[in-house]
Amino acid sequence: MLIKDFLKTWEFEIDYLDFTALKYRFEALRGLSNVRPDLSSEEVKKYAENVITVNRAQYEALAEINPYKSYFEEVEGTDKETGKGQSTSTTTDTQIKQNELTRGIEDTREMTYGRTEDDTRTPTGTIRNDTTSYAYNATSTSQPDSRTEESYQSYKETNVLKSGGTDTETVSHTGTDVQTEQVLDGDLKTIGTTENNNDGQHHEIRSGYVLRDIIELMPQWTMIYDRIVEDIFSVIGVLVATRKIDYSLDW
């Protein structure tokens, strides 16, 4: 197995270095070299991580580079504001107001009666019509001369009252009510006065890197990564690179 094949599957946490950059440098220097044939994949990973763990103290010391910070700025000054008294607010209202309401709504009511009545009278019972005359041959003076009689047992009148149609009431509003408010005299004034005290100091220091600093640091970081790569390779790799096949080698 080549070193570059091992690096594709190797993942490890290093808080003081860029692990991805370390793998790139490892592949550039030893990517085509073989891993020791007597070690399994898990053993190679274990040996490589053991080198980093055992040498952590010296690798951290190498990583403590004192960079040249070309950007530096320091600002110092004082802020002062002086006043006396207190914050006050006075409101004076001398307005004389008048409210007027003008009624403009008029109500109109219209009533339409649609009811109709039918008064029908039906006489029933007995109706008797007598014609009385004083005939010379009458048996009594009250004897009628002639009599017309309907054969009813009793007499009564029936009054039938029928109602129909619909009564309709309509209410409509016209016009608009207007309410007017006006100020007859005076005004509304608000007067405010604010006074305070404020004393302070200002001190600020700024520093940082520029592009030139990064360029100057790159060779130093490269030396650190090369040192770690050689330490790991001396444990997990063989000393012969396979950039060109040599058939005289006997593994």
Side-chain angles (χ1 to χ4, degrees):
M1 180 174 61
L2 298 179
I3 291 293
K4 67 176 184 177
D5 297 329
F6 160 70
L7 293 176
K8 292 178 181 179
T9 60
W10 185 34
E11 295 294 336
F12 190 57
E13 292 291 336
I14 305 177
D15 54 359
Y16 56 91
L17 289 176
D18 187 343
F19 181 70
T20 302
L22 176 62
K23 292 204 310 181
Y24 284 154
R25 190 60 180 168
F26 206 152
E27 183 175 359
L29 293 176
R30 296 291 184 175
L32 297 178
S33 296
N34 278 322
V35 178
R36 283 172 50 185
D38 60 325
L39 300 178
S40 64
S41 298
E42 287 298 322
E43 289 176 331
V44 172
K45 178 181 177 182
K46 181 179 179 181
Y47 280 27
E49 294 174 358
N50 185 62
V51 172
I52 298 177
T53 301
V54 173
N55 298 327
R56 177 184 178 93
Q58 58 176 306
Y59 292 159
E60 284 185 338
L62 294 175
E64 292 179 357
I65 301 175
N66 185 17
Y68 175 78
K69 297 181 179 180
S70 60
Y71 173 72
F72 181 80
E73 180 182 5
E74 184 172 0
V75 180
E76 187 172 358
T78 58
D79 296 329
K80 187 174 184 180
E81 183 180 354
T82 304
K84 295 181 179 180
Q86 59 184 1
S87 300
T88 59
S89 179
T90 303
T91 301
T92 304
D93 189 358
T94 60
Q95 298 178 125
I96 301 175
K97 299 180 179 179
Q98 177 181 352
N99 291 324
E100 295 182 356
L101 177 61
T102 302
R103 289 290 184 183
I105 297 179
E106 297 181 358
D107 294 339
T108 302
R109 292 178 179 272
E110 295 180 357
M111 191 66 181
T112 302
Y113 295 96
R115 184 175 57 190
T116 59
E117 294 183 353
D118 182 8
D119 189 359
T120 303
R121 296 177 182 271
T122 303
T124 60
T126 302
I127 300 177
R128 177 180 294 177
N129 296 318
D130 291 338
T131 301
T132 303
S133 63
Y134 296 95
Y136 65 92
N137 60 351
T139 59
S140 64
T141 58
S142 61
Q143 182 178 358
D145 183 63
S146 63
R147 172 174 294 175
T148 301
E149 191 173 281
E150 297 179 9
S151 61
Y152 294 108
Q153 297 300 320
S154 61
Y155 175 78
K156 67 177 180 179
E157 288 187 357
T158 301
N159 185 13
V160 178
L161 182 62
K162 298 180 180 179
S163 298
T166 304
D167 295 343
T168 303
E169 183 179 10
T170 303
V171 180
S172 59
H173 300 279
T174 59
T176 305
D177 292 344
V178 178
Q179 184 173 0
T180 304
E181 182 181 39
Q182 58 180 338
V183 179
L184 300 179
D185 191 12
D187 54 11
L188 179 65
K189 295 181 179 179
T190 301
I191 301 175
T193 302
T194 303
E195 296 180 356
N196 53 45
N197 297 322
N198 183 19
D199 293 329
Q201 294 183 352
H202 175 71
H203 182 74
E204 182 179 3
I205 298 178
R206 299 178 182 179
S207 62
Y209 299 92
V210 295
L211 180 60
R212 185 182 64 186
D213 299 329
I214 300 176
I215 295 175
E216 292 179 353
L217 290 176
M218 288 304 297
Q220 299 185 47
W221 281 113
T222 301
M223 294 175 59
I224 296 173
Y225 288 133
D226 291 352
R227 166 73 179 275
I228 300 175
V229 166
E230 291 304 320
D231 290 345
I232 298 175
F233 183 75
S234 63
V235 176
I236 67 171
V238 296
L239 301 182
V240 179
T242 57
R243 292 180 177 87
K244 184 177 179 181
I245 299 178
D246 186 354
Y247 293 99
S248 63
L249 296 176
D250 185 13
W251 295 97

